[in-house]
Amino acid sequence: MMTIKTSNLGFPRLGKKREWKKAIESYWAKKIDKAELDQTLQDLHKEILTIQKDHHVDHIPTGDFSLYDHVLDTSLLFNIIPERFQGRPVDDDLLFDIARGNKDHVASALIKWFNTNYHYIVPEWDNVSPQLNNNVLLEKFNFSKEVGVTSHPVILGPVTYVALSKGGDQSFDEKVRTLLPLYKEVFEQLTEAGAEYIQVDEPILVTDGAADLQDITKEAYEFFNEAAPAAKLVLQTYFERVDLNFVGQLPVYGFGLDFVHDNGFNLQQIKDGLFPKEKALFAGIVDGRNVWSTNIEEKKALIETLQSYTDELVIQPSSSLLHVPVTLEEETLDDSVREGLSFATEKLDELYALKQLFNENDDTLYNELKAQYERFESQSFKQLEYDYDSVKSERTTPFKERKVLQDQVLNLPDLPTTTIGSFPQSREVRKYRADWKNNRISDEKYEEFVQNEIKRWIEIQEEIGLDVLVHGEFERNDMVEFFGEKLNGFLVTKFGWVQSYGSRAVKPPIIYGDVKWTAPLTVKETLYAQSLTDKPVKGMLTGPVTILNWSFERVDIPRSEVQDQIALAINEEVLALEEAGIKVIQVDEPALREGLPLRSEYHEDYLNKAVHSFRLSTSSVQDSTQIHTHMCYSQFGQIIHAIKSLDADVISIETSRSHGDLIKDFEDITYDLGIGLGVYDIHSPRIPTEEEITVAIDRALQEIDRSLFWVNPDCGLKTRQEEEVKQALTVLVNSVEKLRQDNTVKQPN
C-alpha cells in the first residue's frame, strides 16, 4: 500500500499579526538596529517552521522566508545587482535599497507575480557579473535543522528567473547558461548539508511562452542531472497546466503540478499516460490562493485516482500559501461563514486529514472537516435579483464630444496635474481609525478628525498648485477592504493580512454572498472636500474588476457574475456622487491586468467581461461628468486595446519603475482618450528631480497628444511620509509650470 506524504510550497512571511512587516519598517525608521531586526525575524522564522511541524507536514519549505521578495533574494544570491547599485557589500541594506530606492538611485521595477496580487522586484542584467554570493539558502536550511525541523530548500528556477528579468546584452539562453554552474554549486552545498530534496520553482512553464523555452529548459535540467546527480530536484509548477508531454521527460526526481487552477488539464494529461509512473508526483490539491475550505470528499476521490499513476504521491497546496492569511485562530466570525473558511494553517490540517485517512485509516479529522464543509454548503447566501438591463453598459456620446463639455465645466490648464487619490496614512490617522473601530472615541470625534485632515490636505494641495484635487481617503483603511465593509455580501476579517509587496500588506475582504449597494459610501467626505475649494475634487472609487481580484472571491458561481454584481453597486455610488455635484469621478482598476489568465486562449473572454463590468459601473453618468481610472504594476502591451475599450475619459498608468517602457505600447495604437503616465515612483522615499519629471513628460509627449496628457505620480501616496509627498508634488507642479511657460499653451480663463 502506498504511503502518502504531505508537503508545503511556502508559508506566509507576515506572521499572525504582521510581526514581519512591523520589524522591517521599524528598522527602516531606525527604531531598531540590525541585530534586533535579525533576532525578531529569526524568532518569526522559527515560529513559522514550528507551525508547519506541529501540523504534521512531512516536507517543510525553507528559503520561502524572505526579507522582502524571493525573486530579489535570488538576484542577490547570484550577484545580479542593478548597475547603479554595484560596488557595495551584498547585504540586507543593499537589498532594501534595490527594492525601495534611495536618495541617489531609483528602485528596481515592481511587477505582478504572474496573475496574483503579489509583486516581485524585476532583476536587471545590465553589466552584471554573476557569481555565487553568500549562500543564504544554505543558512536557512541549517537554521531549520537547528530548531529541529527537517525542511526542503526552495529556490526559483533558472528559466523562470531569467524570464522575469530584463536588460543585458546576452541572449535568454546565454543568461540561463551563465547561471547553471552557480545553481549547481548551491545544489551541491545543500545536498552536502543533508537536504533530501530541493524544490525548484519553474512557474514560467505554465505560460504560453513555455513552448519557446523547451530547448533551454531541457539543457538546464540535463546539466543539473549530470553535474549534481545527488540532488533530488522537484520541478515545481503552479497557477496553471504544464505540457506534460515535454515536462514529464525532464531528468528530475519529481514534478509538482497544480490540480486546482489547471482547468482540469493536468489530471487529463495524467489519465492520458503522460506522467512517468516512476517519478514522484507532488500534487497541489488544496487551493493555495483562496480561503474557502476544501471539498475534502472530492479530494479523497482525486487522490484515489492519482495513486494509480505514480509510485510516490505527495499531496500539497496548489501554490505557496503566501497568498492567503496565516490562521483563523483569532478571528471572531459567525460560524455559518467561518466553517467555510480555511487559511494557511487550516489548509495544512486538510492535508493532514487526508494523509491520516489513507495511511492510518483514521477518518476522525476527515469526517469532522467533511461535516463542516457540508454545513457551510447548505447555507443560502444567494437571494437577490439583478436588473442589468436598466443600467447602461456603454457611453453613447463619443469621447471627443464629451471632452468639449468637460473642458467647459472644468476649465483646466494645459498639462493638468492631479494625484491618484490617497494621501499619507500617518500614525495619527491609523490611531484615530483604530480608536473609532474599537469604540474608544465617538462617531462625532472621529468624523471631526477626518474632516480636519481633509481640510488640511485640500489647503496643502491648493498651496502646491495642483489642478484637480482629492479628499485624501483618510477614512479608508484600504481601497478594497473599505468597500467590503460597506457593501452587502462581503466579510471583513480582523487579522486576514496578505503580503502585496515588500512590507506592504493588504487585508482582502471575503465575498461570501450576493453583492448589494444599500447606501452612499463616499459621498459625505467627497462633498465636504469639494465645499472647501473652487477647484474640482475627484470622487474616488475602486472598480469592480479590482474589487473582485483583490478579494477572496466566491467559487460557487462564475467570477464574471460576481464582478457584474459589484459593478452595479459601484454604478450606484457613481450616480450618487454625480447627483451630489461631483464632476470628476475616478474608478480605479489597478488589478485589471493582473487578473489576465496565464493562457492566451482565455484572454479575450476575460478582457471582454472586465471591460463590460467597468462600463457597467461608469456609463450611466452625464456626458459632462469626467470618468477617470487608474492602473499600476502592470505590463500593459497585450491589453492596450482593452484599456482603450474601457472608454474612460482619463486613464492614469504607473510607468516610473519601468522607466517609461510603457510608452512604447502607444506607438502601435492611436490612443485618443485622456491619459496620465506616472512621472515619479511613489514606492520609493526618494524625491524626484525636476529634470527627471521633465524628461518623463517630454518622452510621453512624443507619442501622446499634449491636449490629452495629464501629469501625476504613478500611484496613491498612502504609504509615504508627509514631507516626502509635499516635496515631490512641489517638484512635479514646478516642472509642469516651466513646461507651460516654455510653450504657447492654453491657460485657464
Side-chain angles (χ1 to χ4, degrees), residues 240-287:
E240 246 290 356
R241 70 181 188 264
V242 295
D243 177 4
L244 269 181
N245 196 42
F246 165 69
V247 171
Q249 305 306 311
L250 295 174
V252 295
Y253 176 74
F255 303 98
L257 305 178
D258 187 336
F259 291 94
V260 177
H261 299 283
D262 65 325
N263 293 294
F265 281 96
N266 281 338
L267 180 59
Q268 187 58 53
Q269 289 183 96
I270 287 177
K271 289 181 176 179
D272 290 342
L274 296 180
F275 189 87
K277 197 170 190 293
E278 71 278 6
K279 299 289 186 179
L281 174 58
F282 289 72
I285 65 172
V286 170
D287 194 348

Side-chain angles (χ1 to χ4, degrees), residues 69-80 123 155-157 161 179 183:
D69 162 52
H70 59 280
V71 181
L72 181 55
D73 290 347
T74 310
S75 295
L76 267 65
L77 177 64
F78 296 129
N79 206 49
I80 311 297
I155 188 169
L156 187 61
Y161 177 78
L179 293 175
Y183 272 89

Side-chain angles (χ1 to χ4, degrees), residues 340-380:
L341 298 177
S342 177
F343 291 177
T345 51
E346 289 75 31
K347 292 181 187 298
L348 301 182
D349 285 333
E350 293 170 345
L351 292 169
Y352 179 63
L354 288 163
K355 181 175 73 170
Q356 287 296 97
L357 176 70
F358 280 90
N359 292 350
E360 307 296 336
N361 200 28
D362 179 357
D363 61 3
T364 307
L365 182 55
Y366 173 86
N367 287 334
E368 179 185 325
L369 295 178
K370 180 173 177 285
Q372 185 175 299
Y373 178 84
E374 290 172 346
R375 284 194 299 270
F376 173 74
E377 285 297 296
S378 69
Q379 301 290 325
S380 176

Side-chain angles (χ1 to χ4, degrees), residues 275-331:
F275 189 87
K277 197 170 190 293
E278 71 278 6
K279 299 289 186 179
L281 174 58
F282 289 72
I285 65 172
V286 170
D287 194 348
R289 294 181 56 171
N290 211 331
V291 295
W292 299 109
S293 57
T294 295
N295 183 340
I296 202 161
E297 190 172 21
E298 183 183 275
K299 302 307 177 183
K300 172 177 176 287
L302 176 58
I303 292 172
E304 289 171 342
T305 298
L306 294 176
Q307 282 181 311
S308 304
Y309 295 95
T310 180
D311 295 332
E312 181 179 349
L313 180 62
V314 181
I315 57 175
Q316 59 188 19
S318 63
S319 65
S320 170
L321 297 176
L322 175 74
H323 307 291
V324 295
V326 176
T327 180
L328 280 166
E329 191 176 285
E330 297 191 47
E331 298 293 343

Side-chain angles (χ1 to χ4, degrees), residues 18-52:
R18 296 181 295 162
E19 296 90 342
W20 182 87
K21 165 192 173 71
K22 293 170 184 176
I24 291 172
E25 291 184 350
S26 293
Y27 176 70
W28 292 343
K30 302 188 185 305
K31 295 178 181 177
I32 63 174
D33 60 19
K34 186 63 168 56
E36 189 173 350
L37 172 67
D38 289 345
Q39 186 61 56
T40 301
L41 295 185
Q42 188 177 87
D43 292 344
L44 179 58
H45 191 193
K46 178 180 178 180
E47 178 183 315
I48 288 171
L49 292 168
T50 304
I51 287 172
Q52 295 172 88

